[in-house]
Amino acid sequence: MSAFVEVREGDGPLILAFPHVGTHVPAPVFARLNPLGQTLADTDWWVDRLYDGLAPAATTVRMDVHRYVIDVNRNPDGASLYPGQNTTGLCPLVDFEGNEIWRTGEEPSDDEIAERIATWHAPYHAALRAQIARVRDRHGVAILYDCHSIRSTLPFLFDGTLPDLNIGTADGRSCAAAIQSAVVEEAAGATGFSHVANGRFKGGWTTRTHGRPDARCHAVQMELAQSTYLADERVPFPYDTARADRLRPVLARILDRLDRLARDGSLRQGVS
């Protein structure tokens, strides 16, 4: 197991994944990033703090290495998750605004990318698989909830302003219909927050790979607009306690609903 994958085992049926909250960049790699890249602007700022304590029985799996080193929510073969649309890659060359993040000539080579996959990407997903198996053995089912956030306005990636709560289930393939319906219903009932299911964000590599309803593992990605809990979506990306305190009960209700679904027996179908 990589030292940069942090696992905290819980005794409940939920697994919360945090692939993009880490800010560790090895010093030799950090020196190769240009000044813009060194701001690490595309971090999922404070998402682990936002969810802290909302599902006490859940298992958490966190990657501490920054996505500019390697993005563990991207296909390891480099194929785009959104063909024909702007996005960032496995080892990103540009940020979410389309700006270059590496010093000229310092971009990662193919050999480096292969090494980073082996060192960080593979162990992260091995940890997820191990926890899914453990949780499923205990409860008969596992629900993987992938925790993300992004700036609410990014013309390079999408038009206009992003909804507050962006639910991704690979167009319904990564989880049972009851799970998607539950998350959508809770989001729709959240006063003051907008939502969409399978809009610009349909779930990344994690959701699409580990979400296997036939094997009793269900996966959902939640991409939050950072305007819902940050005071400013610019450096230094300050956490806004008042905004977060309005959002946290919404997230708590979603997680509680999923926990109850997992425990009531209705999802214990399929083959392992």
Side-chain angles (χ1 to χ4, degrees):
M1 181 61 62
S2 169
F4 295 102
V5 180
E6 178 185 289
V7 176
R8 295 183 180 179
E9 293 186 350
D11 59 10
L14 301 186
I15 301 167
L16 273 57
F18 298 95
H20 295 150
V21 298
T23 56
H24 176 77
V25 180
V29 177
F30 189 81
R32 293 162 56 192
L33 290 166
N34 65 28
L36 180 62
Q38 290 178 355
T39 68
L40 307 181
D42 297 334
T43 306
D44 288 8
W45 296 104
W46 310 112
V47 165
D48 46 351
R49 176 178 175 181
L50 183 68
Y51 279 94
D52 186 41
L54 297 187
T59 293
T60 61
V61 180
R62 168 193 164 113
M63 168 52 71
D64 287 336
V65 172
H66 194 265
R67 69 188 308 158
Y68 288 172
V69 179
I70 190 161
D71 191 333
V72 295
N73 200 35
R74 295 292 185 268
N75 191 327
D77 70 10
S80 175
L81 296 171
Y82 297 97
Q85 299 182 63
N86 286 339
T87 186
T88 55
L90 179 65
C91 289
L93 300 181
V94 299
D95 66 10
F96 288 161
E97 297 183 11
N99 300 309
E100 294 181 358
I101 59 173
W102 298 92
R103 298 182 188 275
T104 302
E106 296 290 353
E107 301 85 355
S109 67
D110 290 345
D111 287 346
E112 283 182 284
I113 293 171
E115 182 179 359
R116 294 179 190 185
I117 291 170
T119 303
W120 293 302
H121 192 288
Y124 177 76
H125 288 281
L128 286 176
R129 286 192 296 272
Q131 292 308 312
I132 288 166
R134 182 186 67 82
V135 168
R136 187 174 53 197
D137 285 347
R138 182 184 180 100
H139 293 280
V141 65
I143 298 179
L144 175 61
Y145 181 96
D146 206 21
C147 306
H148 295 260
S149 75
I150 195 168
R151 298 192 291 285
S152 60
T153 304
L154 286 167
F156 178 69
L157 296 182
F158 49 81
D159 295 330
T161 301
L162 200 66
D164 297 323
L165 309 173
N166 298 268
I167 302 155
T169 65
D171 290 322
R173 294 187 297 275
S174 69
C175 67
I179 289 178
Q180 178 171 311
S181 295
V183 178
V184 170
E185 287 172 11
E186 294 298 334
T191 302
F193 294 97
S194 57
H195 75 283
V196 68
N198 295 306
R200 173 60 180 85
F201 297 98
K202 300 177 185 291
W205 179 249
T206 298
T207 302
R208 301 183 199 196
T209 300
H210 298 290
R212 297 179 56 207
D214 61 334
R216 293 175 283 117
C217 179
H218 305 266
V220 177
Q221 176 175 301
M222 178 63 78
E223 187 88 51
L224 300 169
Q226 291 179 344
S227 56
T228 59
Y229 70 95
L230 295 185
D232 192 342
E233 295 180 312
R234 296 174 296 180
V235 176
F237 302 97
Y239 189 84
D240 187 318
T241 301
R243 290 185 181 185
D245 285 351
R246 289 192 294 270
L247 178 60
R248 278 170 52 83
V250 176
L251 301 176
R253 288 193 293 271
I254 290 171
L255 295 176
D256 179 67
R257 181 86 173 267
L258 294 179
D259 184 271
R260 287 186 281 116
L261 263 176
R263 293 177 189 271
D264 72 10
S266 62
L267 299 175
R268 294 170 195 168
Q269 306 295 328
V271 294
S272 59

